[in-house]
Amino acid sequence: VLFRSDFVNDRKTPSLRINRHMISSLRNSTMGIKMSADRCVAGLEEGLLPSDKNISVLYHYYYCLLRTITQIDSADLLERGELPFFPVNTDLVALCSDLTNTVAQLCKETGVNVVFSTSEKELFAVVDPSKIEQLLLNLFANSLSHTTAGNSVTLTLQRTGNKMIISLDDDGCGIPQEKLVNIFCLPDDNFDDKLDQSGNGLGLYISFGIAQLHKGVLLIESRENGGTRVRVML
């Protein structure tokens, strides 16, 4: 099942509003922060320093909260056509390699193998590096929400003529065909709960918008129980 971002260029999506999925994501993060902080405080009251595990969990929920807020802000700016865009000459090999290493370290305990592959030593393009990082982080998050221990997620970068193709492949559970139709749209209160278990539903909408800012095309190919491939052509 193949779905291209440019198929929805003229598709009207609902205006961004805080819905139950975003609220749930915010609530889960704040509750996690409070529980972790309570454990740290309880240890301090007994004269013990917080354990590395409690501190790690505290930071985990903090970054989850920060990411949700950033995603909401980015989606709102995209919807209003005001997302800042500052393209500069950027080495995509270095960007992709560094980002993959970071993701691999963060999800080491999940048992999912995260790797980067390219035949290029360097590959420069005029892009907004912070936006490309955000796009890729959203794609990684989508793959990691559909994979489990023993699965693999591979980021690939290649040049084809005057185009650069960034691919993210996973061998996870895949996305059902009926879910692909609205996958780049803003979520509403009918947003499928299964696709919301590990996020707020904004990631692919934002990735689609960032690809458009770069005059690029984003494609998703997926089959249920057959993995997913996402390609960004710049």
Side-chain angles (χ1 to χ4, degrees), residues 15 52 62 126 160 176:
S15 297
D52 290 342
Y62 162 74
V126 179
T160 302

Side-chain angles (χ1 to χ4, degrees), residues 96 99-100 103 112-117 133-145 147 152-158 165-172 204 207 218-222 227-233:
C96 291
L99 188 63
T100 302
V103 172
V112 178
N113 186 38
V114 179
V115 297
F116 171 58
S117 174
E133 284 187 359
Q134 186 176 13
L135 182 156
L136 293 177
L137 282 172
N138 288 337
L139 298 184
F140 269 122
N142 183 68
S143 283
L144 291 170
S145 70
T147 51
S152 296
V153 178
T154 302
L155 181 67
T156 305
L157 175 65
Q158 65 185 92
I165 302 176
I166 302 173
S167 301
L168 193 71
D169 296 81
D170 69 62
D171 55 1
L204 291 178
S207 294
L218 194 156
L219 305 93
I220 290 186
E221 183 179 1
S222 187
T228 299
R229 160 173 281 195
V230 183
R231 280 180 287 171
V232 183
M233 295 190 294

